[in-house]
Amino acid sequence: MNGLLAHLDVGRALLALLISVVLFAVVRGEENPTNIGSFDVPVEILDRPPGLVIVESPSNPTARIAVSAPRELWPGLRPDNFRAVASLSSARVGTGQYRVDVDHPDPRVGVLSVSPSEISVRLDQEVATTVPVRLDRGGSVPAGYEAGEAEIDPINVAITGPAAIVKEIAGVAVGVRLDGVTVDVDGRYTPNPIDAEGQTVSIEGRGVLLTPPAVRVRIPVAQQLGYRTVGVQPHVVGVVQSGFVIEGVSAEPSAVTIVGAPRALSEVNFAQTEEVDVSDVNTTLTRQVSVVVPDGVSVVQQGTARV
């Protein structure tokens, strides 16, 4: 009998404790009720397996999460309080659905739902190769100039990325336009991946990396022909008849335009005519003679002068 009473006393004590806890929770809930709301949280894609590369995935993925938390916590809740991740630790080549997990450091904050609950990611084997650089020269330098052989550095580019895309790339091309160029070309250009037929292979946002990302191209441009205007100097030889003097010598035209290599032109200060012999002359003399210029230089228009 005494034992039965002891058990009843313990039971009453436990029931009283349970009622107290429930009443405390009810009172506490009335004082600080639970509120429900939602946030948009960016999703991090983590744990990509070695040797695999992401080919397709949502751009800047976000998840809308519904959360519950005591009312007193809501003033301090913000999207950056939560962390949403999609782990690829079990990923394989191909397209898969990966669960979005959301966490908050305060255990009193509960996550009720996540939308979307999974994100789709496609992965491929990561491979590396080296392809040659092709120079596409367009246009022509102006007349009188010449563009020399191009120097490309480096002549090969390393490509790393998904196997399905990398296998399409047979080389890279850089384009240089020479229209109107009168000085040496020396610049860095972004290589454009191309296939075996020379068509562009799009790599933007597809996980492909080019090393280096820019190629240096140098093309010497030299002036082959220059123009210069110089005076015409008559070349008079001989001595006029005794008792006479030369009052003056003139040439028509008095100047000519010459053309030639810049270095050769720099050495020409005037254009001399052929010899005009005035031996024993006692009156005005007129001769049509050629204008003489050094080798490598020529007269643009007429090559004669009236002296």
Side-chain angles (χ1 to χ4, degrees):
M1 190 65 168
N2 291 333
L4 178 61
L5 292 175
H7 283 296
L8 290 175
D9 290 339
V10 171
R12 291 192 187 100
L14 291 174
L15 179 60
L17 178 61
L18 178 61
I19 293 173
S20 299
V21 170
V22 171
L23 289 175
F24 176 80
V26 171
V27 173
R28 181 63 176 171
E30 290 177 353
E31 294 177 350
N32 188 26
T34 297
N35 288 355
I36 296 175
S38 63
F39 297 97
D40 289 328
V41 179
V43 178
E44 300 176 68
I45 300 177
L46 304 177
D47 305 325
R48 175 171 58 90
L52 296 184
V53 62
I54 296 175
V55 179
E56 291 182 7
S57 66
S59 177
N60 301 318
T62 60
R64 169 152 290 195
I65 61 173
V67 300
S68 64
R71 182 171 59 188
E72 66 180 12
L73 298 182
W74 277 94
L77 289 181
R78 298 185 304 275
D80 57 6
N81 296 146
F82 299 86
R83 189 185 187 199
V85 299
S87 175
L88 305 184
S89 59
S90 62
R92 297 181 179 180
V93 172
T95 301
Q97 303 296 321
Y98 300 94
R99 188 181 67 194
V100 178
D101 294 313
V102 181
D103 184 34
H104 190 279
D106 193 328
R108 292 174 295 173
V109 177
V111 177
L112 304 178
S113 65
V114 180
S115 179
S117 60
E118 294 180 329
I119 62 172
S120 177
V121 179
R122 183 160 71 93
L123 295 98
D124 196 0
Q125 194 72 36
E126 186 176 51
V127 297
T129 188
T130 300
V131 297
V133 178
R134 186 186 80 185
L135 176 62
D136 293 335
R137 291 169 61 150
S140 302
V141 294
Y145 290 82
E146 183 178 4
E149 290 295 323
E151 180 182 344
I152 303 172
D153 183 27
I155 59 173
N156 295 300
V157 168
I159 300 180
T160 304
I165 301 173
V166 172
K167 72 178 183 180
E168 298 179 24
I169 302 174
V172 295
V174 293
V176 177
R177 297 291 303 180
L178 296 176
D179 295 310
V181 175
T182 59
V183 297
D184 292 350
V185 173
D186 190 347
R188 304 191 73 84
Y189 300 84
T190 300
N192 179 42
I194 55 176
D195 60 20
E197 298 181 353
Q199 300 300 312
T200 298
V201 177
S202 175
I203 63 171
E204 185 176 357
R206 303 179 73 184
V208 176
L209 177 66
L210 302 185
T211 307
V215 174
R216 185 179 184 184
V217 177
R218 286 174 285 189
I219 303 176
V221 176
Q223 186 176 9
Q224 297 301 300
L225 295 177
Y227 296 86
R228 186 178 182 185
T229 299
V230 295
V232 175
Q233 179 176 303
H235 186 191
V236 178
V237 298
V239 179
V240 295
Q241 195 177 93
S242 179
F244 291 83
V245 296
I246 297 176
E247 284 190 329
V249 180
S250 64
E252 178 63 36
S254 61
V256 292
T257 300
I258 58 176
V259 60
R263 179 173 296 180
L265 288 181
S266 67
E267 298 175 355
V268 180
N269 297 315
F270 58 86
Q272 195 173 54
T273 69
E274 289 181 314
E275 291 182 355
V276 178
D277 191 354
V278 295
S279 298
D280 293 326
V281 172
N282 60 11
T283 185
T284 299
L285 178 70
T286 301
R287 292 283 187 274
Q288 190 79 15
V289 292
S290 297
V291 176
V292 180
V293 291
D295 291 339
V297 177
S298 59
V299 180
V300 173
Q301 295 177 335
Q302 68 182 57
T304 61
R306 185 170 179 267
V307 178

